[in-house]
Amino acid sequence: MQLVTEDNITDLAAARWATAHDPRTAELMSALVRHLHAFAREVRLTEAEWMAAVQWLNRTGQISDEKREEFILTSDVLGLSMLVVQMNQRLDPRATPATVLGPFHIDGSPELGYGEDMSEGVRGTPLFLHGRVVDLEGNPVGGAVLDVWQADDDGLYETQHAEVDEARLRAKYTSREDGAFAIRTVAPLGYTIPMDGPVGDLISRTDISEYRPAHFHVRFDVPGYRPLITHLFQEGADYLDSDVVFGVKEQLVVHYEPHEGGTFPDGTPVEGPWFEATYDFVLQPA
Amino acid sequence: MQLVTEDNITDLAAARWATAHDPRTAELMSALVRHLHAFAREVRLTEAEWMAAVQWLNRTGQISDEKREEFILTSDVLGLSMLVVQMNQRLDPRATPATVLGPFHIDGSPELGYGEDMSEGVRGTPLFLHGRVVDLEGNPVGGAVLDVWQADDDGLYETQHAEVDEARLRAKYTSREDGAFAIRTVAPLGYTIPMDGPVGDLISRTDISEYRPAHFHVRFDVPGYRPLITHLFQEGADYLDSDVVFGVKEQLVVHYEPHEGGTFPDGTPVEGPWFEATYDFVLQPA
Ligand SMILES: [Cu+2]
Ligand SMILES: [Fe+3]
Ligand SMILES: [Fe+3]
């Protein structure tokens, strides 16, 4: 009979899972067994703690649906998401760095033209963000689609609103032949991650700040270039030093130049205060 | 600005979670961060694999409810449950060892008398299991409640039947003053863990046997003694060497003596083949 003991169970379990038919699955599962067991041994996990973990996972699964990705949030706040991004996106230092996807991307955003407004009906300070999409040598990348999404002035994404019938604060912009693009929106604000679930429960038992600094998300999937998922952050924003999901990169912080009235850079008249930001996205060839 | 890099993110995340107000939570969360990150680094987890893991966790959460504990099953098949049991139940070698609880225990089972039948209406070979509950020195432990549960001839527990209106194959027996107890039931069969969920998906991609050897569960919670959660296995049963949840201990394997007709040890007449098993449970003082 196979005698299972506290000493040999890790080797037994790792060896079993190494029988996975796909070699990569075998590698992943055995390594998972070893690290999970090492964790349990290091902290000498109690049975009550084990049960609390099971119940936490159950709650996390129950609160998750198409609109709420509590497991992604878990990975984000543990720094795992950003670790995985960085391991897989070791880009040329000249390229715009990648950061976390986050749980709020929606496929199929509407296509807008140069400088068109993706923030209609949403309160906030107008922001005109323009620049170029270029390659590592600075050559223009025309026809690049910028899939952009951001939170509203309540810190909520479209997926967090129960009833929204139109696309809200998300759009696809396309760079012109000379690589130029222009996004018109409202300046995003910092926001808190959802704190009413199991991740919030954990965070609230620590000194961790639950906020993300003001940012919007951009996703590129341009033929011939590596796909890029990134953010732009506002220079001087709160929480840049404490982003709860570890997503901030220095190269992704952009200055917002304040203006008052006049016209946007594309000539459209504007009243009251607004911001202009300039940023060049640098894509790495595939 | 706090610069997050692939090199420093593990230290940053572990340090953040070490701010948990409860020192044990701080210890657990920091260690979890370190081992999760070490796993991801060791296998160089890809973004597609990360996403597959998130989706697997979502499916596992969605399939779980009061009657189906897919996260416990996950822990069981990874050997984590049995590791935790063994770390926390380092009992005297004379004591009956502990094993996994499993996901099928139900509170509030009916109380039956000495030798009463907990298997009414269920097909199977009758089994009369009797013996004594004793302490480490062999002194009788009277009034000890044996909370017993097992699967039926389809390998299913009561919680796995959609519509069962009465307690099925579970009961509480109490030891007499001299420590003697007697359980009447049908011999349990080996069974497969539920294979129609995310855990089954994984198992089916390996050479791992999805079966558990024939067993029933017993739980003791006797004042003055350490609580004990254990199984008894049938000697010579299939899958003793490959129990999918690593639950078999040599001291928990018991011989089933075959009989034909006559009377049970308590004098009740019986027709056809039946089994007798004798086992003494040894409880460790608290
Ligand atoms: Cu580890
Ligand atoms: Fe965001
Ligand atoms: Fe069982």
Short mmCIF file of all heavy atoms in Angstrom, two decimals, chain B residues 10-49:
data_model
loop_
_atom_site.label_atom_id
_atom_site.label_comp_id
_atom_site.label_asym_id
_atom_site.label_seq_id
_atom_site.Cartn_x
_atom_site.Cartn_y
_atom_site.Cartn_z
N THR B 10 7.50 41.33 -6.18
CA THR B 10 7.18 40.36 -5.13
C THR B 10 7.43 40.95 -3.74
O THR B 10 6.59 40.83 -2.84
CB THR B 10 7.99 39.07 -5.34
OG1 THR B 10 7.71 38.56 -6.64
CG2 THR B 10 7.65 38.02 -4.30
N ASP B 11 8.56 41.61 -3.59
CA ASP B 11 8.85 42.25 -2.31
C ASP B 11 7.85 43.35 -1.99
O ASP B 11 7.38 43.48 -0.85
CB ASP B 11 10.27 42.83 -2.30
CG ASP B 11 11.33 41.74 -2.30
OD1 ASP B 11 11.01 40.59 -1.92
OD2 ASP B 11 12.47 42.03 -2.70
N LEU B 12 7.50 44.13 -3.00
CA LEU B 12 6.52 45.21 -2.79
C LEU B 12 5.18 44.64 -2.34
O LEU B 12 4.56 45.14 -1.39
CB LEU B 12 6.31 46.02 -4.07
CG LEU B 12 7.43 46.97 -4.50
CD1 LEU B 12 7.11 47.56 -5.87
CD2 LEU B 12 7.60 48.08 -3.47
N ALA B 13 4.72 43.60 -3.04
CA ALA B 13 3.40 43.05 -2.72
C ALA B 13 3.42 42.36 -1.35
O ALA B 13 2.48 42.51 -0.56
CB ALA B 13 2.96 42.07 -3.81
N ALA B 14 4.48 41.63 -1.06
CA ALA B 14 4.56 40.96 0.24
C ALA B 14 4.59 41.99 1.36
O ALA B 14 3.94 41.82 2.40
CB ALA B 14 5.78 40.04 0.30
N ALA B 15 5.31 43.08 1.15
CA ALA B 15 5.40 44.12 2.18
C ALA B 15 4.05 44.79 2.39
O ALA B 15 3.65 45.09 3.52
CB ALA B 15 6.46 45.16 1.79
N ARG B 16 3.33 45.02 1.31
CA ARG B 16 2.01 45.63 1.46
C ARG B 16 1.09 44.76 2.30
O ARG B 16 0.41 45.23 3.21
CB ARG B 16 1.37 45.78 0.10
CG ARG B 16 1.49 47.16 -0.41
CD ARG B 16 0.52 47.37 -1.53
NE ARG B 16 1.11 48.33 -2.45
CZ ARG B 16 0.58 48.67 -3.59
NH1 ARG B 16 -0.55 48.10 -3.98
NH2 ARG B 16 1.17 49.56 -4.34
N TRP B 17 1.05 43.47 1.96
CA TRP B 17 0.11 42.58 2.67
C TRP B 17 0.56 42.32 4.10
O TRP B 17 -0.24 41.94 4.96
CB TRP B 17 -0.11 41.30 1.88
CG TRP B 17 -1.04 41.56 0.73
CD1 TRP B 17 -0.70 41.83 -0.57
CD2 TRP B 17 -2.46 41.69 0.79
NE1 TRP B 17 -1.82 42.10 -1.32
CE2 TRP B 17 -2.92 42.01 -0.51
CE3 TRP B 17 -3.41 41.56 1.81
CZ2 TRP B 17 -4.27 42.19 -0.81
CZ3 TRP B 17 -4.75 41.74 1.50
CH2 TRP B 17 -5.17 42.05 0.21
N ALA B 18 1.82 42.58 4.37
CA ALA B 18 2.31 42.47 5.75
C ALA B 18 1.77 43.59 6.63
O ALA B 18 1.99 43.58 7.84
CB ALA B 18 3.84 42.47 5.78
N THR B 19 1.05 44.56 6.04
CA THR B 19 0.42 45.60 6.86
C THR B 19 -0.93 45.15 7.43
O THR B 19 -1.61 45.95 8.08
CB THR B 19 0.18 46.90 6.06
OG1 THR B 19 -0.82 46.66 5.06
CG2 THR B 19 1.47 47.41 5.41
N ALA B 20 -1.33 43.93 7.19
CA ALA B 20 -2.58 43.44 7.79
C ALA B 20 -2.52 43.64 9.30
O ALA B 20 -1.47 43.44 9.92
CB ALA B 20 -2.81 41.98 7.45
N HIS B 21 -3.65 44.07 9.88
CA HIS B 21 -3.64 44.45 11.30
C HIS B 21 -3.44 43.24 12.21
O HIS B 21 -2.83 43.35 13.26
CB HIS B 21 -4.93 45.20 11.63
CG HIS B 21 -5.18 46.34 10.68
ND1 HIS B 21 -6.42 46.72 10.27
CD2 HIS B 21 -4.32 47.16 10.03
CE1 HIS B 21 -6.32 47.73 9.44
NE2 HIS B 21 -5.06 48.01 9.26
N ASP B 22 -3.97 42.12 11.79
CA ASP B 22 -3.79 40.89 12.56
C ASP B 22 -2.47 40.24 12.12
O ASP B 22 -2.27 39.99 10.93
CB ASP B 22 -4.97 39.95 12.29
CG ASP B 22 -4.72 38.56 12.81
OD1 ASP B 22 -4.43 38.43 14.01
OD2 ASP B 22 -4.79 37.60 12.02
N PRO B 23 -1.55 40.00 13.06
CA PRO B 23 -0.21 39.50 12.66
C PRO B 23 -0.28 38.18 11.90
O PRO B 23 0.51 37.96 10.97
CB PRO B 23 0.53 39.32 13.99
CG PRO B 23 -0.28 39.97 15.03
CD PRO B 23 -1.67 40.20 14.51
N ARG B 24 -1.19 37.31 12.25
CA ARG B 24 -1.28 36.03 11.56
C ARG B 24 -1.77 36.23 10.10
O ARG B 24 -1.26 35.59 9.18
CB ARG B 24 -2.23 35.09 12.31
CG ARG B 24 -2.47 33.74 11.65
CD ARG B 24 -1.20 32.90 11.52
NE ARG B 24 -1.51 31.58 11.01
CZ ARG B 24 -0.61 30.71 10.58
NH1 ARG B 24 0.69 31.01 10.59
NH2 ARG B 24 -0.98 29.53 10.14
N THR B 25 -2.73 37.13 9.92
CA THR B 25 -3.18 37.44 8.56
C THR B 25 -2.02 38.00 7.75
O THR B 25 -1.83 37.65 6.57
CB THR B 25 -4.34 38.46 8.60
OG1 THR B 25 -5.38 37.94 9.43
CG2 THR B 25 -4.90 38.71 7.21
N ALA B 26 -1.23 38.88 8.37
CA ALA B 26 -0.07 39.45 7.69
C ALA B 26 0.89 38.34 7.26
O ALA B 26 1.38 38.33 6.12
CB ALA B 26 0.64 40.45 8.62
N GLU B 27 1.13 37.42 8.16
CA GLU B 27 2.05 36.31 7.86
C GLU B 27 1.51 35.46 6.72
O GLU B 27 2.23 35.11 5.77
CB GLU B 27 2.22 35.46 9.13
CG GLU B 27 3.13 34.27 8.97
CD GLU B 27 3.18 33.40 10.23
OE1 GLU B 27 2.39 33.64 11.16
OE2 GLU B 27 4.02 32.46 10.27
N LEU B 28 0.23 35.13 6.80
CA LEU B 28 -0.38 34.27 5.78
C LEU B 28 -0.37 34.94 4.41
O LEU B 28 0.00 34.33 3.40
CB LEU B 28 -1.83 33.93 6.17
CG LEU B 28 -2.03 32.98 7.34
CD1 LEU B 28 -3.50 32.92 7.73
CD2 LEU B 28 -1.52 31.57 6.98
N MET B 29 -0.78 36.19 4.37
CA MET B 29 -0.90 36.86 3.07
C MET B 29 0.46 37.11 2.43
O MET B 29 0.62 36.95 1.22
CB MET B 29 -1.68 38.17 3.23
CG MET B 29 -3.15 37.99 3.61
SD MET B 29 -4.09 36.93 2.46
CE MET B 29 -3.95 37.87 0.94
N SER B 30 1.46 37.50 3.24
CA SER B 30 2.79 37.72 2.67
C SER B 30 3.36 36.42 2.13
O SER B 30 3.96 36.39 1.05
CB SER B 30 3.77 38.26 3.72
OG SER B 30 3.24 39.38 4.34
N ALA B 31 3.18 35.35 2.89
CA ALA B 31 3.70 34.06 2.43
C ALA B 31 2.96 33.61 1.18
O ALA B 31 3.57 33.07 0.24
CB ALA B 31 3.57 33.01 3.54
N LEU B 32 1.66 33.85 1.12
CA LEU B 32 0.89 33.49 -0.07
C LEU B 32 1.41 34.24 -1.29
O LEU B 32 1.61 33.66 -2.36
CB LEU B 32 -0.59 33.80 0.17
CG LEU B 32 -1.53 33.46 -0.99
CD1 LEU B 32 -1.56 31.95 -1.24
CD2 LEU B 32 -2.94 33.99 -0.73
N VAL B 33 1.63 35.54 -1.12
CA VAL B 33 2.18 36.34 -2.23
C VAL B 33 3.50 35.75 -2.70
O VAL B 33 3.73 35.53 -3.89
CB VAL B 33 2.37 37.81 -1.80
CG1 VAL B 33 3.27 38.56 -2.77
CG2 VAL B 33 1.01 38.51 -1.67
N ARG B 34 4.38 35.44 -1.74
CA ARG B 34 5.70 34.96 -2.14
C ARG B 34 5.64 33.62 -2.88
O ARG B 34 6.30 33.44 -3.89
CB ARG B 34 6.64 34.90 -0.93
CG ARG B 34 7.18 36.30 -0.58
CD ARG B 34 8.26 36.29 0.48
NE ARG B 34 7.71 36.07 1.81
CZ ARG B 34 7.63 34.90 2.41
NH1 ARG B 34 8.12 33.81 1.84
NH2 ARG B 34 7.08 34.81 3.61
N HIS B 35 4.80 32.70 -2.39
CA HIS B 35 4.75 31.39 -3.05
C HIS B 35 4.00 31.45 -4.38
O HIS B 35 4.40 30.78 -5.33
CB HIS B 35 4.14 30.36 -2.11
CG HIS B 35 5.09 29.94 -1.03
ND1 HIS B 35 6.13 29.07 -1.26
CD2 HIS B 35 5.20 30.32 0.26
CE1 HIS B 35 6.83 28.91 -0.13
NE2 HIS B 35 6.28 29.67 0.80
N LEU B 36 2.96 32.26 -4.46
CA LEU B 36 2.27 32.41 -5.74
C LEU B 36 3.21 33.01 -6.79
O LEU B 36 3.28 32.55 -7.93
CB LEU B 36 1.09 33.37 -5.59
CG LEU B 36 -0.30 32.80 -5.43
CD1 LEU B 36 -1.30 33.94 -5.35
CD2 LEU B 36 -0.65 31.88 -6.60
N HIS B 37 3.94 34.04 -6.39
CA HIS B 37 4.88 34.67 -7.32
C HIS B 37 6.00 33.69 -7.69
O HIS B 37 6.42 33.64 -8.86
CB HIS B 37 5.46 35.94 -6.71
CG HIS B 37 4.54 37.11 -6.70
ND1 HIS B 37 4.94 38.40 -6.97
CD2 HIS B 37 3.20 37.21 -6.46
CE1 HIS B 37 3.91 39.23 -6.89
NE2 HIS B 37 2.84 38.52 -6.57
N ALA B 38 6.49 32.95 -6.70
CA ALA B 38 7.56 31.98 -6.99
C ALA B 38 7.09 30.94 -8.00
O ALA B 38 7.82 30.55 -8.91
CB ALA B 38 8.04 31.31 -5.70
N PHE B 39 5.83 30.51 -7.84
CA PHE B 39 5.25 29.58 -8.81
C PHE B 39 5.23 30.22 -10.20
O PHE B 39 5.71 29.62 -11.17
CB PHE B 39 3.83 29.20 -8.37
CG PHE B 39 3.00 28.63 -9.48
CD1 PHE B 39 3.27 27.36 -9.99
CD2 PHE B 39 1.95 29.36 -10.03
CE1 PHE B 39 2.51 26.84 -11.04
CE2 PHE B 39 1.18 28.84 -11.07
CZ PHE B 39 1.48 27.59 -11.57
N ALA B 40 4.68 31.42 -10.29
CA ALA B 40 4.56 32.07 -11.61
C ALA B 40 5.93 32.28 -12.25
O ALA B 40 6.11 32.12 -13.46
CB ALA B 40 3.83 33.41 -11.46
N ARG B 41 6.92 32.63 -11.42
CA ARG B 41 8.27 32.85 -11.95
C ARG B 41 8.90 31.55 -12.40
O ARG B 41 9.55 31.47 -13.45
CB ARG B 41 9.17 33.50 -10.88
CG ARG B 41 8.83 34.95 -10.58
CD ARG B 41 9.73 35.47 -9.45
NE ARG B 41 9.27 36.76 -8.94
CZ ARG B 41 9.59 37.94 -9.47
NH1 ARG B 41 10.38 38.00 -10.52
NH2 ARG B 41 9.13 39.06 -8.94
N GLU B 42 8.75 30.51 -11.58
CA GLU B 42 9.40 29.24 -11.90
C GLU B 42 8.92 28.69 -13.23
O GLU B 42 9.71 28.23 -14.05
CB GLU B 42 9.13 28.21 -10.80
CG GLU B 42 9.78 26.87 -11.11
CD GLU B 42 9.44 25.80 -10.07
OE1 GLU B 42 9.40 26.13 -8.88
OE2 GLU B 42 9.20 24.65 -10.49
N VAL B 43 7.61 28.74 -13.45
CA VAL B 43 7.07 28.17 -14.70
C VAL B 43 7.01 29.23 -15.80
O VAL B 43 6.63 28.93 -16.92
CB VAL B 43 5.66 27.57 -14.49
CG1 VAL B 43 5.71 26.45 -13.45
CG2 VAL B 43 4.65 28.63 -14.09
N ARG B 44 7.38 30.48 -15.46
CA ARG B 44 7.22 31.59 -16.38
C ARG B 44 5.82 31.56 -17.00
O ARG B 44 5.64 31.38 -18.21
CB ARG B 44 8.32 31.56 -17.46
CG ARG B 44 8.28 32.79 -18.31
CD ARG B 44 9.54 33.59 -18.29
NE ARG B 44 9.35 34.75 -19.15
CZ ARG B 44 10.16 35.11 -20.11
NH1 ARG B 44 11.29 34.48 -20.31
NH2 ARG B 44 9.89 36.16 -20.84
N LEU B 45 4.85 31.74 -16.13
CA LEU B 45 3.44 31.66 -16.50
C LEU B 45 3.12 32.63 -17.63
O LEU B 45 3.46 33.81 -17.57
CB LEU B 45 2.59 32.01 -15.27
CG LEU B 45 1.11 31.63 -15.32
CD1 LEU B 45 0.95 30.11 -15.31
CD2 LEU B 45 0.38 32.24 -14.12
N THR B 46 2.46 32.13 -18.68
CA THR B 46 2.09 33.01 -19.79
C THR B 46 0.78 33.72 -19.47
O THR B 46 0.02 33.31 -18.59
CB THR B 46 1.92 32.23 -21.11
OG1 THR B 46 0.74 31.43 -21.00
CG2 THR B 46 3.12 31.36 -21.39
N GLU B 47 0.51 34.76 -20.25
CA GLU B 47 -0.75 35.49 -20.04
C GLU B 47 -1.95 34.61 -20.39
O GLU B 47 -2.98 34.67 -19.73
CB GLU B 47 -0.73 36.79 -20.85
CG GLU B 47 0.29 37.76 -20.25
CD GLU B 47 0.64 38.93 -21.16
OE1 GLU B 47 1.19 38.70 -22.27
OE2 GLU B 47 0.37 40.08 -20.76
N ALA B 48 -1.82 33.76 -21.41
CA ALA B 48 -2.92 32.86 -21.77
C ALA B 48 -3.17 31.85 -20.65
O ALA B 48 -4.32 31.52 -20.34
CB ALA B 48 -2.61 32.14 -23.08
N GLU B 49 -2.09 31.35 -20.04
CA GLU B 49 -2.25 30.40 -18.94
C GLU B 49 -2.88 31.08 -17.72
O GLU B 49 -3.72 30.51 -17.02
CB GLU B 49 -0.90 29.78 -18.57
CG GLU B 49 -0.41 28.80 -19.63
CD GLU B 49 1.09 28.53 -19.57
OE1 GLU B 49 1.82 29.21 -18.80
OE2 GLU B 49 1.54 27.63 -20.31
#
